[in-house]
Amino acid sequence: MNKPLTQPMFYILLSLKEKRHGYEIMQYIEWLTEGKVQVGPGTLYSLLPRFEKDKYIEMISEEDKKKTYLITDLGRDVLNGEIQRFEAMIGHANYVKEGKEDEFQNRN
Amino acid sequence: MNFKIEINYINIDNYPFMERFFEKKAREGWLISKIYQGYIFVYKRIKPEDLDFSITPYEIETFFTRKTKVDLEEFQSVCQHVGWNYATKTSDLHIYYKEKTDDAMPLETDEEELFKSLEAIGKKQEVGNYLMTILSVVLSWFILGSVFKNTSAVKDGLHLSLAFLMPAALALGIVQIIDLNRFINRNRKNIEEGLPLDFDSSRKPIYKILLIYMNIVFILLFYHILYSAFILENKSAIIGLIPGIIGVSIGTLYRFIVKPRRMELELKSIGLVFTLLLTIALNAFIGVHFIDALLDQDQDLPDREDYKIVLMEDLDEGEDYATFYRNSSPLFPHSYESYSYSRSAGSIKAEYAGAINSSIAQNLVKRYKNRAKKALVTRTNDLFRYSFDYGEFDSFLKFYGINEEDFNKVKDMDKIEGKRKLREVGFANSIIKADESFWGVDEAYYLDYMKTEIILRKDREVIYIDLEGMDFLDDHIENTIKNRLSL
């Protein structure tokens, strides 16, 4: 089982569902999360080469010293797996929030 | 002055502390503008300002990474886009600043990712440190051994410089390995436990001292090589420079042709291996070619009046071959040796060393005597073995001052003790005082029983003569050599 993605990893992969270069990725994440999540250049540029090496993303063009990336099928699988994990976690959280833990007591 | 230079230290384990330090410097009117080798800091004069500094690790292009110069430029341009001004970089640490009042996105926004970057850089540094430590241990072993015992190493500036350099390189390698290991292990634990990264708040005086010391010695070493090659005209030193020149040239080509290309790591590694092989092959080819050329060439002999050397021609013999070699070291600023060979009569080897004081000269005389003892031990080993195994005196031992009577006294003893006693006899009969008043010196010793080697010391000057096919028992030779040396 893959290690869960960290927050910046998740948002970078998410932002690369469309092709984007580094600075665009940062702006997109800030816009998407209404400024609640920021991915600084240090963090971003240490993750991009790692993702590329792991074949989660691929570079599709390089112009004016800007490289544009796009998520790969493998990256998409990893991202979807993570989204499903989050959905499951939210489902569990809602379950507890709705006071259904009595069912645990009465499980036998 | 519009700039100032300072000795300091920055690395992955103390850089947040240095951010605060650079902020203090900016308030004093100095902006960091260059860092050489991680410890020579150059500041430029600015109007005192309240600045924020942020240092971010970013691995620069190496053969370990797929990154290129273009990647670095993109990274720097994005950092500037989010509000940071580039100051300088040192190794993999990039230093940015901004006005305290300006808004800017933090360069690092995730501790776990930051740790991964630092860990990768730290491990790369550790590989370098391990290699430096191993190399230092091996070189220290050979070089310190020769400097403490050898007769030629103390006369050679290269040997002495390396003897001073290696222990410091070893100490630095070990200290860095310990510090980096501690830093990585401590912070791996912190990340696992959700704690913030923990950096060292020290400016590491021990690193500063070792680095300054090593660089001074390195400059002296480089000076010695150039002095030896171009002032003393040592062809061997000139040849010694060739691998360096080839290495730097090919390395530069590699840097500009292979490194900037964005290619798979495997291809980059193949490029590096190919470059190394090309360097080795070129060195081997040119080295052999130059050494052959050197050996084929008669060495230019110096003006005889300036040097205390003896040649076969001084003994009215024809001379077929002669070499001359000069050297220099802090302990022996002037030293030289000559070798002169005559096919019909033999050869003379003469070594001269002028020490900085007489006690160092005395020490050199001791080294020659010890070397003579060792030579006697080596040369008599087989002869002793034969004599003791067969209980029969090997007559060749006579050439080492040991006669049959000496052997008969010890032949029934324990072999080891018997050999030891015979060696003492050999030493006593071989390494003996020569006539100091005849030579006009403070110390004079023959170094072998056949009296073909002599060591002379007059105050700070030490002269060693080794004859082949002749000996000092011949009055004509002894007088001629004495007059020639004019001691």
Side-chain angles (χ1 to χ4, degrees):
Chain A
M1 191 184 144
N2 282 336
K3 227 182 135 188
L5 299 177
T6 59
Q7 190 183 55
M9 287 166 109
F10 175 80
Y11 279 105
I12 292 168
L13 281 183
L14 193 64
S15 68
L16 287 176
K17 282 197 154 187
E18 298 294 330
K19 56 183 183 182
R20 289 194 168 90
H21 60 73
Y23 187 51
E24 273 179 335
I25 296 171
M26 289 162 58
Q27 285 180 315
Y28 178 78
I29 294 170
E30 211 172 352
W31 169 82
L32 182 71
T33 62
E34 295 169 339
K36 290 189 180 69
V37 176
Q38 284 188 322
V39 177
T43 307
L44 177 70
Y45 283 92
S46 77
L47 279 170
L48 288 176
R50 203 160 353 124
F51 280 162
E52 209 185 348
K53 187 175 157 238
D54 292 341
K55 310 232 185 295
Y56 289 180
I57 61 170
E58 60 184 345
M59 189 184 70
I60 54 167
S61 68
E62 185 172 352
E63 279 170 30
D64 300 331
K65 293 178 189 169
K66 280 182 193 164
K67 286 184 289 296
T68 305
Y69 298 92
L70 185 66
I71 195 164
T72 60
D73 289 343
L74 177 63
R76 210 180 295 274
D77 289 346
V78 171
L79 183 66
N80 289 338
E82 196 67 2
I83 291 169
Q84 281 169 16
R85 192 173 69 86
F86 288 150
E87 283 171 351
M89 283 164 70
I90 289 165
H92 300 147
N94 285 335
Y95 192 79
V96 174
K97 233 167 85 180
E98 286 161 16
K100 293 186 180 172
E101 68 267 34
D102 291 349
E103 290 179 20
F104 174 72
Q105 304 296 338
N106 304 325
R107 67 191 185 282
N108 292 324
Chain B
M1 289 278 269
N2 284 328
F3 73 95
K4 77 168 180 179
I5 296 173
E6 183 185 81
I7 302 301
N8 219 311
Y9 181 80
I10 183 169
N11 202 353
I12 55 166
D13 55 347
N14 76 336
Y15 74 84
F17 175 79
M18 296 312 290
E19 288 172 350
R20 305 295 80 78
F21 181 75
F22 293 140
E23 284 163 12
K24 180 177 154 266
K25 282 282 178 192
R27 284 195 296 277
E28 292 168 2
W30 295 105
L31 178 67
I32 185 73
S33 66
K34 274 269 178 222
I35 299 178
Y36 297 101
Q37 297 176 45
Y39 80 101
I40 301 171
F41 288 28
V42 181
Y43 297 89
K44 67 178 176 193
R45 169 69 83 188
I46 54 164
K47 184 167 60 71
E49 275 184 283
D50 253 353
L51 299 178
D52 267 343
F53 275 82
S54 182
I55 300 175
T56 180
Y58 178 83
E59 271 189 278
I60 52 170
E61 21 135 13
T62 65
F63 104 98
F64 295 106
T65 69
R66 294 181 69 239
K67 288 176 184 169
T68 65
K69 209 173 174 61
V70 178
D71 293 308
L72 177 63
E73 284 167 1
E74 181 180 349
F75 171 71
Q76 288 176 337
S77 112
V78 171
C79 290
Q80 281 164 0
H81 264 100
V82 298
W84 293 95
N85 302 301
Y86 177 72
T88 186
K89 73 176 171 67
T90 170
S91 183
D92 291 323
L93 295 175
H94 303 256
I95 303 167
Y96 289 87
Y97 68 97
K98 68 172 184 67
E99 301 243 348
K100 210 136 204 145
T101 48
D102 288 351
D103 281 337
M105 180 189 278
L107 295 176
E108 294 292 340
T109 48
D110 189 273
E111 290 251 302
E112 195 175 334
E113 294 308 329
L114 174 59
F115 174 68
K116 281 179 189 164
S117 299
L118 295 174
E119 189 182 29
I121 294 168
K123 290 209 163 150
K124 196 171 67 177
Q125 288 185 9
E126 273 190 344
V127 171
N129 284 325
Y130 277 118
L131 289 176
M132 183 168 84
T133 305
I134 293 166
L135 188 71
S136 307
V137 168
V138 174
L139 285 177
S140 299
W141 177 266
F142 287 111
I143 288 165
L144 290 180
S146 64
V147 163
F148 282 117
K149 291 178 183 170
N150 200 302
T151 55
S152 55
V154 278
K155 295 185 243 168
D156 182 24
L158 183 71
H159 262 87
L160 278 187
S161 308
L162 288 173
F164 281 100
L165 189 66
M166 284 307 125
L170 180 62
L172 185 67
I174 292 171
V175 173
Q176 279 190 328
I177 288 170
I178 293 170
D179 275 0
L180 285 172
N181 261 324
R182 273 190 193 157
F183 172 74
I184 291 171
N185 292 336
R186 183 172 73 227
N187 284 301
R188 189 180 293 129
K189 200 162 163 255
N190 282 1
I191 289 294
E192 280 165 8
E193 292 173 0
L195 296 169
L197 294 177
D198 179 19
F199 292 88
D200 197 337
S201 62
S202 154
R203 274 190 279 153
K204 314 220 173 184
I206 184 76
Y207 282 63
K208 283 193 252 178
I209 292 166
L210 286 171
L211 284 165
I212 294 168
Y213 170 82
M214 282 171 68
N215 276 271
I216 291 170
V217 177
F218 192 77
I219 290 166
L220 291 175
L221 190 149
F222 191 64
Y223 167 77
H224 171 78
I225 292 172
L226 293 181
Y227 179 76
S228 195
F230 299 109
I231 307 295
L232 300 181
E233 294 171 358
N234 273 342
K235 289 179 182 171
S236 57
I238 297 171
I239 290 170
L241 286 174
I242 293 169
I245 294 166
I246 293 173
V248 169
S249 309
I250 295 183
T252 308
L253 288 176
Y254 173 81
R255 188 178 173 82
F256 287 106
I257 297 170
V258 180
K259 266 179 90 178
R261 289 174 191 269
R262 189 177 179 80
M263 54 173 80
E264 290 300 323
L265 273 183
E266 289 75 15
L267 277 177
K268 253 188 183 175
S269 305
I270 290 168
L272 182 80
V273 171
F274 176 75
T275 309
L276 288 176
L277 288 178
L278 182 68
T279 312
I280 292 165
L282 263 176
N283 270 316
F285 173 76
I286 296 175
V288 167
H289 181 74
F290 269 76
I291 285 164
D292 278 352
L294 179 73
L295 292 177
D296 288 346
Q297 212 175 18
D298 278 342
Q299 188 91 9
D300 296 333
L301 290 171
D303 184 349
R304 297 293 308 272
E305 297 314 308
D306 296 338
Y307 296 92
K308 289 174 180 172
I309 57 173
V310 190
L311 302 173
M312 289 305 284
E313 63 179 28
D314 299 321
L315 304 173
D316 306 323
E317 297 289 348
E319 192 166 83
D320 296 304
Y321 178 72
T323 62
F324 181 69
Y325 175 83
R326 288 185 289 185
N327 211 339
S328 174
S329 83
L331 297 179
F332 293 91
H334 302 290
S335 67
Y336 43 83
E337 53 187 72
S338 65
Y339 178 76
S340 167
Y341 171 73
S342 159
R343 204 167 285 126
S344 56
S347 68
I348 303 178
K349 185 178 186 190
E351 293 177 11
Y352 170 89
I356 50 169
N357 62 42
S358 58
S359 63
I360 289 174
Q362 282 170 32
N363 179 278
L364 184 62
V365 171
K366 269 188 206 159
R367 287 171 186 241
Y368 274 103
K369 285 164 72 180
N370 285 336
R371 189 179 76 172
K373 282 183 182 175
K374 272 187 196 159
L376 188 143
V377 171
T378 310
R379 287 169 190 161
T380 53
N381 258 344
D382 285 344
L383 305 177
F384 282 161
R385 194 175 304 124
Y386 171 84
S387 301
F388 280 93
D389 285 354
Y390 294 97
E392 196 179 306
F393 179 69
D394 188 321
S395 57
F396 278 98
L397 284 170
K398 285 179 183 168
F399 295 116
Y400 301 98
I402 300 162
N403 61 35
E404 192 162 3
E405 200 181 315
D406 299 321
F407 174 71
N408 288 335
K409 281 184 199 164
V410 301
K411 71 175 181 186
D412 297 325
M413 282 184 183
D414 169 64
K415 271 185 196 177
I416 294 173
E417 182 59 14
K419 286 177 186 176
R420 194 188 63 77
K421 281 197 178 295
L422 279 188
R423 275 189 200 114
E424 291 300 328
V425 172
F427 295 156
N429 290 335
S430 301
I431 303 164
I432 55 170
K433 260 189 179 295
D435 187 348
E436 287 156 357
S437 57
F438 167 79
W439 288 97
V441 295
D442 301 321
E443 280 186 279
Y445 292 95
Y446 292 113
L447 297 177
D448 65 333
Y449 184 69
M450 305 306 290
K451 296 188 173 44
T452 63
E453 287 179 68
I454 195 167
I455 183 77
L456 307 164
R457 181 185 69 80
K458 186 175 184 181
D459 192 18
R460 291 180 296 165
E461 293 180 301
V462 178
I463 295 176
Y464 164 77
I465 308 284
D466 178 15
L467 306 175
E468 250 187 60
M470 300 164 281
D471 56 54
F472 288 100
L473 295 171
D474 183 326
D475 288 345
H476 167 66
I477 290 173
E478 195 170 43
N479 280 314
T480 310
I481 292 175
K482 183 200 158 199
N483 292 335
R484 183 68 202 89
L485 296 177
S486 53
L487 287 165

